[in-house]
Amino acid sequence: MTRQLTIGIHLSAASDTNSIGPAIDEQIAFVQRAEAAKLDFVFKADYLVAHPALMAKTKTTVNLDPSLLFATLARETTHIGLVTTISTSFNPPYVIARQLQSLNWISNGRIGWNVVTSIDGAKNFGEDAMLPSQQRYEKAKECTDVVHQLWHSYPYEAMKAKGDMEKIQASVKPIHYEGKYFKVEGPLSVPMHPAGDIPLFQAGASDVGRQFAATVSNAIFAATPTMEAGIALRKDLRQRAQALGRSADAIRVLPGLYFFIGDTYDEAWQMYYEAHAHLTVERKLQSLQAVIGKDFSDLGLTDTITIDMLPEITDAIRSKTHATLLRDYVANYQPTLEQLLWRPEVIGSAHLVAIGTPKQIVNQIKTFYDNGALDGFIGVPGNNASLTQFYEQVIPLLVESGLFRQKYNGSTLREHLQL
């Protein structure tokens, strides 16, 4: 039997309202709607720095702590997975392990952990600068190892020995961990949920990020705006997983699918342009400079950009993943400056962009899936109209094609992911 698509959705600011504040009721309705469509999970990113541009973009949702938010959403839902984001760079393993296991009990086994190393925020945690990428991932690996040890330090079976101190002491044991970054005694004060290990998600696409993902992750949030990028990433991750003794199917590659869906192709494109109408050429040039490390404001919009015009990628670049994707695009297509400025790596987050009618969106998803470019995706709705089309048209078409479930076959995130 062919494994079906894994589909999540980003708890984003896809709202046409002008309300100011956390809008909790809207977010509850958002997640309940996703659950009604039988999606695998809802995902929420997290930001540890108050970026002005992000604050302006997400004014209707406010950047609430995702783990605290999901504690509320867990009580308003029954089946859908809830994937929270927690940084290993600034949070002690004991706190992470306790929070996640608590959420797993609150949600009855529906929590997932998006493991991030963060690219900024050090000064908000008493540190002068971020560790280099290699060290951040080294610390993340140690942190996830400790978290797993803590989860297993208080097994679910120990709860059956209630009142029997001798049996409890025999099964609930300290971990006595001492490593390069952490020193943790244990055991954890929260027992393991019977659903089993909490699924891990990760988004790093650099070489060290891929190796980390291949080692610990069940799914990777992929920055793959083209089929070629998706095929290459998925093939590489599967090979790395096998080299580490894991199954090639152990990791799901889930690109962000930034979608605009209309009754006609032209209507969908109009939605896309309207969504980015606020981005002036000057602002897009600034964004391009931040991604690639070079100012192109002296060029005309019709000027051709070639690979020799781009600087080498250095540690000064904010995101090596986005910079690499742009370099590959330029090398393959020699775009005009205007075409480059409309790239998702410049105006968005290097998501896979899907623009068209419901049938066209489904065909695009199916083509990527059939060619081994993805195992599923995380929906990022461009606006409310597209979100409605997604639920009312796209999901039913995917169900009809056999690529997605008609009903939940379990109640935990591990069951949804077929782990």
Side-chain angles (χ1 to χ4, degrees):
M1 179 180 176
T2 301
R3 190 167 67 184
Q4 293 180 324
L5 290 168
T6 296
I7 302 179
I9 195 154
H10 185 211
L11 185 57
S12 62
S15 173
D16 292 334
T17 70
N18 291 314
S19 60
I20 303 299
I24 299 299
D25 289 342
E26 285 186 19
Q27 295 188 60
I28 290 173
F30 184 98
V31 177
Q32 290 176 333
R33 193 178 187 187
E35 183 171 68
K38 308 300 185 289
L39 299 194
D40 291 288
F41 62 87
V42 172
F43 157 73
K44 190 177 189 306
D46 194 24
Y47 305 93
L48 302 176
V49 176
H51 295 293
L54 183 67
M55 293 163 69
K57 181 180 178 182
T58 61
K59 68 176 183 178
T60 59
T61 57
V62 180
N63 186 37
L64 299 178
D65 183 299
S67 297
L68 293 176
L69 176 60
F70 279 141
T72 297
L73 298 178
R75 305 309 299 164
E76 302 290 339
T77 52
T78 58
H79 282 74
I80 194 165
L82 305 166
V83 180
T84 188
T85 299
I86 304 178
S87 174
T88 57
S89 292
F90 307 118
N91 295 285
Y94 193 94
V95 172
I96 295 174
R98 187 167 182 256
Q99 286 183 344
L100 288 170
Q101 204 58 253
S102 296
L103 281 171
N104 221 25
W105 279 100
I106 292 170
S107 67
N108 197 21
R110 293 186 285 129
I111 288 298
W113 175 20
N114 177 36
V115 184
V116 298
T117 63
S118 302
I119 58 175
D120 50 20
K123 292 184 179 179
N124 288 335
F125 295 88
E127 300 177 19
D128 293 329
M130 297 295 299
L131 290 172
S133 178
Q134 182 74 36
Q135 288 180 255
R136 292 204 307 274
Y137 277 107
E138 183 182 60
K139 185 176 182 180
K141 177 60 171 61
E142 186 174 319
C143 182
T144 54
D145 286 346
V146 177
V147 167
H148 272 107
Q149 289 182 42
L150 286 168
W151 285 339
H152 289 271
S153 70
Y154 190 165
Y156 172 71
E157 288 69 27
M159 297 181 67
K160 300 175 183 177
K162 185 177 180 181
D164 189 330
M165 186 63 68
E166 189 173 316
K167 285 186 177 180
I168 292 175
Q169 288 180 331
S171 57
V172 182
K173 299 179 180 179
I175 64 173
H176 302 302
Y177 183 87
E178 188 168 351
K180 180 177 179 179
Y181 297 97
F182 304 107
K183 184 177 181 180
V184 184
E185 179 69 9
L188 193 64
S189 60
V190 183
M192 184 91 156
H193 189 276
D197 283 329
I198 293 170
L200 301 190
F201 295 70
Q202 202 260 334
S206 64
D207 183 71
V208 64
R210 293 183 185 196
Q211 191 63 22
F212 177 68
T215 305
V216 306
S217 298
N218 301 112
I220 182 166
F221 295 160
T224 53
T226 66
M227 186 185 298
E228 294 80 8
I231 292 171
L233 176 63
R234 186 171 180 271
K235 182 178 180 181
D236 181 49
L237 285 171
R238 291 169 69 84
Q239 290 176 340
R240 290 175 188 252
Q242 286 182 305
L244 291 165
R246 302 180 71 191
S247 165
D249 293 324
I251 305 174
R252 314 291 164 80
V253 174
L254 309 175
L257 187 74
Y258 186 36
F259 57 81
F260 292 84
I261 311 172
D263 291 327
T264 67
Y265 183 68
D266 289 341
E267 180 185 332
W269 268 101
Q270 186 61 35
M271 289 178 178
Y272 179 75
Y273 287 126
E274 288 176 359
H276 301 95
H278 64 289
L279 296 175
T280 63
V281 172
E282 290 74 23
R283 186 167 171 183
K284 285 188 282 189
L285 283 167
Q286 291 172 1
S287 178
L288 176 61
Q289 183 175 357
V291 173
I292 210 69
K294 183 176 179 178
D295 181 7
F296 286 96
S297 60
D298 59 330
L299 299 181
L301 292 177
T302 59
D303 287 348
T304 299
I305 308 298
T306 57
I307 191 65
D308 58 286
M309 298 168 67
L310 304 185
E312 293 298 320
I313 298 173
T314 67
D315 288 336
I317 296 295
R318 179 178 173 83
S319 172
K320 292 183 179 180
T321 298
H322 292 183
T324 300
L325 288 168
L326 272 187
R327 285 184 65 87
D328 291 345
Y329 175 72
V330 170
N332 291 330
Y333 299 103
Q334 295 81 51
T336 64
L337 177 59
E338 183 173 27
Q339 290 172 324
L340 194 62
L341 292 178
W342 277 104
R343 287 296 300 168
E345 299 92 337
V346 176
I347 64 174
S349 300
H351 294 308
L352 170 59
V353 179
I355 304 172
T357 66
K359 286 186 177 180
Q360 288 172 326
I361 300 301
V362 169
N363 286 338
Q364 181 176 348
I365 293 169
K366 189 175 186 302
T367 299
F368 274 63
Y369 178 75
D370 289 343
N371 284 278
L374 54 76
D375 296 293
F377 58 87
I378 300 170
V380 183
N383 56 20
N384 267 346
S386 295
L387 186 60
T388 296
Q389 290 269 29
F390 178 73
Y391 285 132
E392 295 183 358
Q393 300 290 331
V394 172
I395 292 298
L397 285 171
L398 289 173
V399 171
E400 185 180 313
S401 69
L403 285 176
F404 196 59
R405 70 168 69 85
Q406 191 168 24
K407 62 180 181 179
Y408 285 116
N409 298 312
S411 60
T412 70
L413 182 55
R414 288 190 66 86
E415 289 174 315
H416 299 342
L417 299 176
Q418 301 175 56
L419 298 179

